[in-house]
Amino acid sequence: MTFGERVKTERERKGWSQTELAEKIHVSRQSVSKWETGKSLPSIEVLIDLSDLFGITIDEMLRSDRELKEKVIQDSRQLAYPKWKVFFDSVFLIGVLLLAAKLIAFAINYFAGTDLLQMDGLPRLLANFGPLALMLIGGVGSDSLKDKYR
């Protein structure tokens, strides 16, 4: 039995119209119709609501339809994606800001003849290559997420 057939069977068993079911889970009647005809699948949040409403486990609903199972797996992957994307984008942005600060300090030193942020040894190495390293890490990390989660 497909997911759509299962929804229709459970809805009819409860004696509800598509509109009544839609109102109970806060979606449109057209959404319920599309699920029942197999034209679309619900999100994981709606799947949980349907499971609670019908008194059946999510496992029972998922195992009946391979396509729905794949959609839920893909949705769960995409839930993790934004968190890592924000992290790597932030690392990249910090690198850009540090590089901009370094360039501004360099320009001030050149035009004003000052020794602003002139360091020696390890701090100088970090100040010169740290922003580039952060930009590289952020860019590579963000780009690798596209391959993993899409």
Side-chain angles (χ1 to χ4, degrees), residues 25-150:
I25 56 174
H26 310 292
V27 297
S28 68
R29 185 206 53 80
Q30 290 83 358
S31 292
V32 174
S33 176
K34 287 179 182 179
W35 300 335
E36 290 183 359
T37 59
K39 292 180 181 175
S40 72
L41 295 170
S43 67
I44 186 65
E45 294 88 0
V46 172
L47 186 61
I48 291 168
D49 290 343
L50 286 170
S51 171
D52 290 343
L53 197 58
F54 292 149
I56 58 177
T57 66
I58 293 174
D59 185 58
E60 291 175 283
M61 297 182 88
L62 285 177
R63 294 204 187 268
S64 66
D65 194 323
R66 190 177 78 81
E67 186 180 347
L68 178 61
K69 185 169 84 173
E70 291 300 319
K71 182 182 184 309
V72 168
I73 290 169
Q74 187 65 26
D75 286 352
S76 68
R77 285 183 178 165
Q78 289 179 350
L79 289 175
Y81 175 74
K83 294 174 188 170
W84 284 107
K85 178 83 169 122
V86 167
F87 172 76
F88 285 117
D89 287 348
S90 297
V91 168
F92 182 82
L93 185 59
I94 289 169
V96 168
L97 293 174
L98 289 174
L99 182 62
K102 179 68 177 170
L103 291 174
I104 290 169
F106 179 76
I108 291 171
N109 287 345
Y110 182 78
F111 292 112
T114 64
D115 286 336
L116 185 65
L117 297 176
Q118 294 296 323
M119 300 173 253
D120 290 323
L122 184 61
R124 183 176 184 178
L125 184 68
L126 287 174
N128 289 334
F129 293 104
L132 296 175
L134 289 174
M135 290 170 59
L136 183 65
I137 291 167
V140 169
S142 184
D143 189 54
S144 71
L145 289 176
K146 287 191 288 188
D147 298 333
K148 184 176 180 182
Y149 290 106
R150 296 211 189 248

Side-chain angles (χ1 to χ4, degrees), residues 7-16 53-56:
V7 169
K8 185 174 182 177
T9 300
E10 294 295 330
R11 176 181 61 78
E12 289 174 345
R13 196 178 61 136
K14 298 272 189 183
W16 297 331
L53 197 58
F54 292 149
I56 58 177

